[in-house]
Amino acid sequence: MSFIQRRRFLWMCFLAGLVLLGLTAAFANGTTLARLRFEELAQQSSAVARLRCLGSEFHWERGELWTNAL
């Protein structure tokens, strides 16, 4: 494989990756978080706790990514 062929192949791989990334971003659903002051959070919540996170894990469930704090 010549230098020009190798460079063309790498550009095609790069462009295919960009297209795949764009398609993934177009169909992905994100989470929207509302910024609240502590007073608003306490007023709207049924419970508020101050905790220290020791770790986290994630898993897929029915096509959704879930994060659990340990």
Side-chain angles (χ1 to χ4, degrees):
M1 182 180 276
S2 72
F3 175 75
I4 293 174
Q5 290 173 327
R6 188 169 47 242
R7 188 170 59 178
R8 185 178 300 143
F9 173 74
L10 289 174
W11 271 110
M12 293 302 291
C13 288
F14 176 72
L15 293 175
L18 284 179
V19 168
L20 183 61
L21 183 64
L23 289 174
T24 302
F27 292 108
N29 293 324
T31 300
T32 303
L33 300 176
R35 184 178 293 230
L36 298 174
R37 293 191 327 260
F38 182 77
E39 294 81 16
E40 293 173 324
L41 177 66
Q43 188 177 33
Q44 294 182 17
S45 299
S46 58
V48 177
R50 175 177 269 182
L51 305 170
R52 186 177 74 174
C53 182
L54 300 175
S56 65
E57 64 182 17
F58 67 92
H59 65 277
W60 287 96
E61 185 175 316
R62 293 188 303 265
E64 296 178 337
L65 180 63
W66 290 85
T67 304
N68 298 324
L70 303 174

